[in-house]
Amino acid sequence: MIVVPGGQGLITGVSAGVGLSGGGSEGTVTLTLDLSELSAVTPTNGDSLASIDSDGSTEQLTTIAALATLLAGTGLTASSSVISADDSTASAKGIVIVAGGDGIATSYSSGTATSAVDLGTNSGLEISSNKLQIAKGISQHDVAQFTSNVADDDFLRVDGTVVEGRSASEVLSDISAAPAAGSANIVTTGALDSGSITSGFGNIDTGSSTITTTGAVSTGTIDASDDVTIAADKSLNLAQGAHITFTDQILDNSIDDHDYQGIVFTFRAGDTVTPFSPVYVDGNNEVQECDADAIATMPCIGVSVNTSNVSADADCPVLMLGLVRDDSFTDFGAAGAPVYVSTTVGTMTTTAPSGTDDVVQVIGHSIAEDLIFVQPCLTTIEHA
Amino acid sequence: MIIMARQPQALDYTSGTVSDSAVTILGMGSALISSVPTGARSFVGTVESAAVRARGDGTSPSATEGQLIASGDVIYLGESEFSSMEFIRDTSTDAEIRGHFYNVEVDVILGKVT
C-alpha cells in the first residue's frame, strides 16, 4: 500500500516559489530559502514575521505587534508595534528622558543628552575651569539674597563664615559710632566724651547712674527727688533777691509723724539723746538733753530729730529752725502757744517753769497738739 | 522500439465505512462492492472524515497499532492487498474510504513504469 499524504497526486516537479530557490522536475531536488526574492517593504502594524519556537521544533508566525510587546522591557511601552519610552517609569531604569530645569539647558545628539548650566545672557556668573565664579560685580540686576538671619532694611555683617543681618542700632553699637543727628534714642554703654548737648535736646535719663561734671551747671528749676549734697568747703550761694523758701503751707498736718522741716545741724551727742528732745551744748561742744531745773543744762539751741536714741559720741541731728512732728507729743494742744523747756529732762511744755533756779526759755510755738515750730529764743530767765 | 504506455482505466467505484472493527476495502460497512471487479489490478482511494490505521501483515490493526493514515490521504492498493490490507478507525469517529478500481498496477498509476 502506498499512501500519499493530503491526497496529492504524483509529483512531477518542484518549483521554487517566492523566497525559495532551487527545485527541479526529476531526481532529488532541493529548495533553498532565498530571502533576496522577497520584496523590500516598510513593515507596518499588523505585519507578521516567520519565526521558530525556542526548541526549534515549530515554525510559527509572529506579528510585529507581539514582537514589539516582547521587546518592550522596563521603562518601555509597546503600542501598535511602536516601542516608546514610558515617562512615568523612566526613573526606574531603562531609557531616561533628561529635561532641563531652571537654569539647565539640555541638548541631544546621537543619543547622548548633554545638560549644561544656562547662565543666561549678561550673567553675573560664569563657569571657568569647572568652577562657578562671579564674572561681574554686584550690579543693578544682581542683588544678593539671603533666606535667613537677614531682615528687611538690615545691614550685613560677616560673622566668621556666616553673613548675618544687623539693624541700624546694632550696627551703631557694633562700630561704636555716634548716632546720626535726629536719632530718636541714644542707647550706649560707653562714654559721651566730647561734643555738646544743645538746646532742645530733650530729657536726659540716666536711671540710677550719676552725672558727673567739674564744670558749672546752669539750669532752671531743680527738682530733686533725693538729698542734695554739697561738697565740703562749698557753698550754696544765693545772689541778690534769692532766698530759701519752704513752699508747703504750714498746717497741723503739713508734715508726717516723725518728719521735720527746716534747718538741721549735726552735733555730737555727749550722752544718750532721746528722740525729739530739746538739747543744749555742754562743755565739750557736744549736745545733751536740756533740763530747765538748772542753768547748767540750758539754754536750748534746738530740738533733736532723731527717731531713736542717739548714743554718746554719735551724730545727733538738731533742728535749729523749723517744724517737727511727733504724734507722741501731748502738751501742745493750744495752737500758737509758746513752748518751753520742761523741768523734766529732755522734754518740752507749754507751761513756763516757775520753781527756784528754774530757767524759762521759749524755744518755739505750738502749731498743733503734736506739731511744733522750733525757733529757740536764746534770752532766758532764771528764777531766783 | 516503440513503447506502448498502458493507460489507467477505472473499472468500478466503491465506498464504505471503517468503524471499530478491522475490515478490508471489500468488507467495509455499507460497501458498494464486496468482490473484486474483473480485471482490477489496483485501487486508489481517499480516507475521509477521520484517520484510520492499516495493517497488511496478516494481523488485524487496532486503534493503537497499525499504520496511521490521516483523513484526506490517498491510498494505493495492489491487487493482492484488496483482501489482505485491513483498516480500523483511529479515533471514536468512523471514517470512510472512497475510490476506484483500475486495470493497471499501482506503479503504472504512479508513473514509475511506462
mmCIF file of all heavy atoms in Angstrom, chain A residues 147-181:
data_model
loop_
_atom_site.group_PDB
_atom_site.id
_atom_site.type_symbol
_atom_site.label_atom_id
_atom_site.label_comp_id
_atom_site.label_asym_id
_atom_site.label_seq_id
_atom_site.Cartn_x
_atom_site.Cartn_y
_atom_site.Cartn_z
ATOM 1 N N THR A 147 18.197 84.015 52.796
ATOM 2 C CA THR A 147 16.933 83.432 53.239
ATOM 3 C C THR A 147 16.832 83.364 54.744
ATOM 4 O O THR A 147 15.802 83.063 55.278
ATOM 5 C CB THR A 147 16.782 82.020 52.663
ATOM 6 O OG1 THR A 147 17.898 81.238 53.085
ATOM 7 C CG2 THR A 147 16.729 82.072 51.146
ATOM 8 N N SER A 148 17.914 83.617 55.451
ATOM 9 C CA SER A 148 17.839 83.546 56.904
ATOM 10 C C SER A 148 18.831 84.528 57.496
ATOM 11 O O SER A 148 19.786 84.954 56.836
ATOM 12 C CB SER A 148 18.139 82.126 57.388
ATOM 13 O OG SER A 148 19.441 81.745 57.008
ATOM 14 N N ASN A 149 18.622 84.854 58.734
ATOM 15 C CA ASN A 149 19.495 85.729 59.504
ATOM 16 C C ASN A 149 19.493 87.164 59.018
ATOM 17 O O ASN A 149 20.242 87.991 59.533
ATOM 18 C CB ASN A 149 20.943 85.225 59.499
ATOM 19 C CG ASN A 149 21.068 83.842 60.086
ATOM 20 O OD1 ASN A 149 20.353 83.507 61.018
ATOM 21 N ND2 ASN A 149 21.941 83.034 59.525
ATOM 22 N N VAL A 150 18.715 87.456 57.996
ATOM 23 C CA VAL A 150 18.704 88.808 57.464
ATOM 24 C C VAL A 150 17.258 89.269 57.344
ATOM 25 O O VAL A 150 16.418 88.556 56.802
ATOM 26 C CB VAL A 150 19.384 88.869 56.075
ATOM 27 C CG1 VAL A 150 19.326 90.289 55.538
ATOM 28 C CG2 VAL A 150 20.823 88.391 56.177
ATOM 29 N N ALA A 151 16.985 90.449 57.871
ATOM 30 C CA ALA A 151 15.640 91.010 57.800
ATOM 31 C C ALA A 151 15.646 92.239 56.910
ATOM 32 O O ALA A 151 16.708 92.750 56.522
ATOM 33 C CB ALA A 151 15.144 91.365 59.200
ATOM 34 N N ASP A 152 14.458 92.697 56.585
ATOM 35 C CA ASP A 152 14.326 93.867 55.729
ATOM 36 C C ASP A 152 15.040 95.053 56.364
ATOM 37 O O ASP A 152 14.980 95.274 57.571
ATOM 38 C CB ASP A 152 12.834 94.176 55.548
ATOM 39 C CG ASP A 152 12.609 95.233 54.483
ATOM 40 O OD1 ASP A 152 13.484 95.386 53.607
ATOM 41 O OD2 ASP A 152 11.570 95.902 54.533
ATOM 42 N N ASP A 153 15.736 95.809 55.542
ATOM 43 C CA ASP A 153 16.459 97.017 55.958
ATOM 44 C C ASP A 153 17.674 96.713 56.813
ATOM 45 O O ASP A 153 18.261 97.603 57.415
ATOM 46 C CB ASP A 153 15.539 97.986 56.710
ATOM 47 C CG ASP A 153 14.454 98.546 55.803
ATOM 48 O OD1 ASP A 153 14.694 98.613 54.575
ATOM 49 O OD2 ASP A 153 13.387 98.903 56.313
ATOM 50 N N ASP A 154 18.058 95.458 56.893
ATOM 51 C CA ASP A 154 19.241 95.114 57.684
ATOM 52 C C ASP A 154 20.520 95.524 56.954
ATOM 53 O O ASP A 154 20.546 95.661 55.723
ATOM 54 C CB ASP A 154 19.294 93.603 57.935
ATOM 55 C CG ASP A 154 18.589 93.230 59.232
ATOM 56 O OD1 ASP A 154 18.044 94.143 59.877
ATOM 57 O OD2 ASP A 154 18.576 92.044 59.572
ATOM 58 N N PHE A 155 21.568 95.685 57.719
ATOM 59 C CA PHE A 155 22.908 95.772 57.181
ATOM 60 C C PHE A 155 23.534 94.386 57.329
ATOM 61 O O PHE A 155 23.103 93.598 58.168
ATOM 62 C CB PHE A 155 23.739 96.804 57.947
ATOM 63 C CG PHE A 155 23.209 98.216 57.836
ATOM 64 C CD1 PHE A 155 22.239 98.688 58.710
ATOM 65 C CD2 PHE A 155 23.651 99.060 56.834
ATOM 66 C CE1 PHE A 155 21.729 99.962 58.598
ATOM 67 C CE2 PHE A 155 23.144 100.353 56.707
ATOM 68 C CZ PHE A 155 22.184 100.807 57.590
ATOM 69 N N LEU A 156 24.538 94.110 56.523
ATOM 70 C CA LEU A 156 25.143 92.785 56.534
ATOM 71 C C LEU A 156 26.463 92.807 57.298
ATOM 72 O O LEU A 156 27.238 93.752 57.181
ATOM 73 C CB LEU A 156 25.386 92.282 55.104
ATOM 74 C CG LEU A 156 24.140 92.164 54.235
ATOM 75 C CD1 LEU A 156 24.507 91.636 52.862
ATOM 76 C CD2 LEU A 156 23.115 91.240 54.890
ATOM 77 N N ARG A 157 26.683 91.784 58.064
ATOM 78 C CA ARG A 157 27.936 91.646 58.784
ATOM 79 C C ARG A 157 28.410 90.209 58.637
ATOM 80 O O ARG A 157 27.613 89.281 58.750
ATOM 81 C CB ARG A 157 27.754 91.979 60.265
ATOM 82 C CG ARG A 157 29.073 91.912 61.033
ATOM 83 C CD ARG A 157 28.910 92.306 62.482
ATOM 84 N NE ARG A 157 28.252 91.263 63.255
ATOM 85 C CZ ARG A 157 28.157 91.277 64.592
ATOM 86 N NH1 ARG A 157 28.647 92.293 65.273
ATOM 87 N NH2 ARG A 157 27.540 90.311 65.223
ATOM 88 N N VAL A 158 29.703 90.054 58.377
ATOM 89 C CA VAL A 158 30.264 88.717 58.276
ATOM 90 C C VAL A 158 30.698 88.287 59.666
ATOM 91 O O VAL A 158 31.548 88.917 60.295
ATOM 92 C CB VAL A 158 31.461 88.688 57.306
ATOM 93 C CG1 VAL A 158 32.080 87.301 57.287
ATOM 94 C CG2 VAL A 158 31.008 89.086 55.913
ATOM 95 N N ASP A 159 30.092 87.231 60.138
ATOM 96 C CA ASP A 159 30.414 86.686 61.450
ATOM 97 C C ASP A 159 31.056 85.328 61.211
ATOM 98 O O ASP A 159 30.375 84.336 61.000
ATOM 99 C CB ASP A 159 29.136 86.554 62.277
ATOM 100 C CG ASP A 159 29.436 86.018 63.676
ATOM 101 O OD1 ASP A 159 30.634 85.900 64.014
ATOM 102 O OD2 ASP A 159 28.484 85.720 64.404
ATOM 103 N N GLY A 160 32.353 85.304 61.244
ATOM 104 C CA GLY A 160 33.048 84.062 60.904
ATOM 105 C C GLY A 160 32.873 83.791 59.422
ATOM 106 O O GLY A 160 33.379 84.529 58.593
ATOM 107 N N THR A 161 32.121 82.769 59.113
ATOM 108 C CA THR A 161 31.847 82.444 57.713
ATOM 109 C C THR A 161 30.392 82.653 57.377
ATOM 110 O O THR A 161 29.917 82.232 56.330
ATOM 111 C CB THR A 161 32.229 80.977 57.424
ATOM 112 O OG1 THR A 161 31.487 80.136 58.290
ATOM 113 C CG2 THR A 161 33.713 80.755 57.633
ATOM 114 N N VAL A 162 29.662 83.289 58.280
ATOM 115 C CA VAL A 162 28.227 83.468 58.089
ATOM 116 C C VAL A 162 27.922 84.948 57.915
ATOM 117 O O VAL A 162 28.475 85.788 58.624
ATOM 118 C CB VAL A 162 27.442 82.900 59.300
ATOM 119 C CG1 VAL A 162 25.957 83.164 59.138
ATOM 120 C CG2 VAL A 162 27.708 81.419 59.434
ATOM 121 N N VAL A 163 27.059 85.225 56.953
ATOM 122 C CA VAL A 163 26.584 86.583 56.770
ATOM 123 C C VAL A 163 25.293 86.745 57.562
ATOM 124 O O VAL A 163 24.364 85.968 57.415
ATOM 125 C CB VAL A 163 26.325 86.883 55.281
ATOM 126 C CG1 VAL A 163 25.709 88.268 55.120
ATOM 127 C CG2 VAL A 163 27.621 86.789 54.502
ATOM 128 N N GLU A 164 25.272 87.748 58.422
ATOM 129 C CA GLU A 164 24.085 87.958 59.240
ATOM 130 C C GLU A 164 23.599 89.392 59.094
ATOM 131 O O GLU A 164 24.367 90.292 58.751
ATOM 132 C CB GLU A 164 24.392 87.662 60.711
ATOM 133 C CG GLU A 164 25.460 88.582 61.292
ATOM 134 C CD GLU A 164 25.737 88.288 62.765
ATOM 135 O OE1 GLU A 164 25.176 87.312 63.271
ATOM 136 O OE2 GLU A 164 26.494 89.053 63.379
ATOM 137 N N GLY A 165 22.320 89.597 59.333
ATOM 138 C CA GLY A 165 21.738 90.917 59.234
ATOM 139 C C GLY A 165 21.824 91.643 60.565
ATOM 140 O O GLY A 165 21.703 91.055 61.627
ATOM 141 N N ARG A 166 22.091 92.932 60.516
ATOM 142 C CA ARG A 166 22.171 93.741 61.722
ATOM 143 C C ARG A 166 21.308 94.970 61.524
ATOM 144 O O ARG A 166 21.334 95.624 60.478
ATOM 145 C CB ARG A 166 23.619 94.159 61.999
ATOM 146 C CG ARG A 166 24.597 93.008 62.120
ATOM 147 C CD ARG A 166 24.396 92.217 63.395
ATOM 148 N NE ARG A 166 24.907 92.950 64.546
ATOM 149 C CZ ARG A 166 24.756 92.542 65.796
ATOM 150 N NH1 ARG A 166 24.085 91.411 66.031
ATOM 151 N NH2 ARG A 166 25.233 93.227 66.804
ATOM 152 N N SER A 167 20.553 95.313 62.536
ATOM 153 C CA SER A 167 19.731 96.507 62.470
ATOM 154 C C SER A 167 20.616 97.740 62.596
ATOM 155 O O SER A 167 21.804 97.647 62.940
ATOM 156 C CB SER A 167 18.697 96.484 63.588
ATOM 157 O OG SER A 167 19.345 96.592 64.841
ATOM 158 N N ALA A 168 20.027 98.893 62.320
ATOM 159 C CA ALA A 168 20.801 100.133 62.370
ATOM 160 C C ALA A 168 21.366 100.356 63.764
ATOM 161 O O ALA A 168 22.544 100.717 63.930
ATOM 162 C CB ALA A 168 19.911 101.300 61.943
ATOM 163 N N SER A 169 20.565 100.121 64.775
ATOM 164 C CA SER A 169 21.059 100.338 66.135
ATOM 165 C C SER A 169 22.158 99.347 66.469
ATOM 166 O O SER A 169 23.131 99.687 67.160
ATOM 167 C CB SER A 169 19.909 100.221 67.137
ATOM 168 O OG SER A 169 19.326 98.935 67.087
ATOM 169 N N GLU A 170 22.009 98.122 65.961
ATOM 170 C CA GLU A 170 23.054 97.140 66.220
ATOM 171 C C GLU A 170 24.351 97.526 65.536
ATOM 172 O O GLU A 170 25.427 97.338 66.084
ATOM 173 C CB GLU A 170 22.597 95.758 65.746
ATOM 174 C CG GLU A 170 21.502 95.146 66.609
ATOM 175 C CD GLU A 170 20.957 93.844 66.041
ATOM 176 O OE1 GLU A 170 20.964 93.715 64.792
ATOM 177 O OE2 GLU A 170 20.525 92.990 66.818
ATOM 178 N N VAL A 171 24.224 98.067 64.342
ATOM 179 C CA VAL A 171 25.421 98.496 63.626
ATOM 180 C C VAL A 171 26.118 99.612 64.393
ATOM 181 O O VAL A 171 27.342 99.622 64.537
ATOM 182 C CB VAL A 171 25.055 98.946 62.200
ATOM 183 C CG1 VAL A 171 26.249 99.615 61.538
ATOM 184 C CG2 VAL A 171 24.596 97.761 61.375
ATOM 185 N N LEU A 172 25.356 100.574 64.898
ATOM 186 C CA LEU A 172 25.955 101.666 65.657
ATOM 187 C C LEU A 172 26.697 101.121 66.868
ATOM 188 O O LEU A 172 27.784 101.585 67.219
ATOM 189 C CB LEU A 172 24.866 102.648 66.095
ATOM 190 C CG LEU A 172 24.196 103.440 64.966
ATOM 191 C CD1 LEU A 172 23.047 104.274 65.520
ATOM 192 C CD2 LEU A 172 25.202 104.327 64.263
ATOM 193 N N SER A 173 26.093 100.139 67.490
ATOM 194 C CA SER A 173 26.758 99.527 68.641
ATOM 195 C C SER A 173 27.992 98.765 68.194
ATOM 196 O O SER A 173 29.045 98.827 68.831
ATOM 197 C CB SER A 173 25.785 98.597 69.358
ATOM 198 O OG SER A 173 26.433 97.905 70.407
ATOM 199 N N ASP A 174 27.855 98.033 67.056
ATOM 200 C CA ASP A 174 28.975 97.226 66.564
ATOM 201 C C ASP A 174 30.201 98.079 66.301
ATOM 202 O O ASP A 174 31.325 97.682 66.599
ATOM 203 C CB ASP A 174 28.567 96.487 65.278
ATOM 204 C CG ASP A 174 27.532 95.404 65.550
ATOM 205 O OD1 ASP A 174 27.374 95.025 66.720
ATOM 206 O OD2 ASP A 174 26.885 94.963 64.577
ATOM 207 N N ILE A 175 29.992 99.243 65.710
ATOM 208 C CA ILE A 175 31.132 100.056 65.294
ATOM 209 C C ILE A 175 31.410 101.176 66.282
ATOM 210 O O ILE A 175 32.248 102.043 66.040
ATOM 211 C CB ILE A 175 30.890 100.651 63.890
ATOM 212 C CG1 ILE A 175 29.713 101.620 63.910
ATOM 213 C CG2 ILE A 175 30.661 99.547 62.865
ATOM 214 C CD1 ILE A 175 29.483 102.327 62.582
ATOM 215 N N SER A 176 30.723 101.168 67.421
ATOM 216 C CA SER A 176 30.925 102.186 68.449
ATOM 217 C C SER A 176 30.807 103.579 67.860
ATOM 218 O O SER A 176 31.600 104.484 68.165
ATOM 219 C CB SER A 176 32.300 102.014 69.106
ATOM 220 O OG SER A 176 32.408 100.740 69.688
ATOM 221 N N ALA A 177 29.828 103.745 66.992
ATOM 222 C CA ALA A 177 29.700 105.020 66.293
ATOM 223 C C ALA A 177 28.700 105.920 66.997
ATOM 224 O O ALA A 177 27.810 105.481 67.700
ATOM 225 C CB ALA A 177 29.225 104.778 64.862
ATOM 226 N N ALA A 178 28.916 107.239 66.801
ATOM 227 C CA ALA A 178 27.953 108.209 67.311
ATOM 228 C C ALA A 178 26.688 108.110 66.486
ATOM 229 O O ALA A 178 26.744 107.922 65.274
ATOM 230 C CB ALA A 178 28.527 109.618 67.222
ATOM 231 N N PRO A 179 25.541 108.199 67.112
ATOM 232 C CA PRO A 179 24.294 108.135 66.342
ATOM 233 C C PRO A 179 24.126 109.355 65.450
ATOM 234 O O PRO A 179 24.676 110.416 65.714
ATOM 235 C CB PRO A 179 23.224 108.081 67.423
ATOM 236 C CG PRO A 179 23.868 108.722 68.610
ATOM 237 C CD PRO A 179 25.305 108.365 68.533
ATOM 238 N N ALA A 180 23.420 109.175 64.402
ATOM 239 C CA ALA A 180 23.194 110.266 63.470
ATOM 240 C C ALA A 180 22.284 111.313 64.101
ATOM 241 O O ALA A 180 21.478 111.027 64.979
ATOM 242 C CB ALA A 180 22.552 109.722 62.199
ATOM 243 N N ALA A 181 22.459 112.563 63.655
ATOM 244 C CA ALA A 181 21.612 113.631 64.151
ATOM 245 C C ALA A 181 20.154 113.304 63.875
ATOM 246 O O ALA A 181 19.805 112.829 62.795
ATOM 247 C CB ALA A 181 21.990 114.938 63.470
#
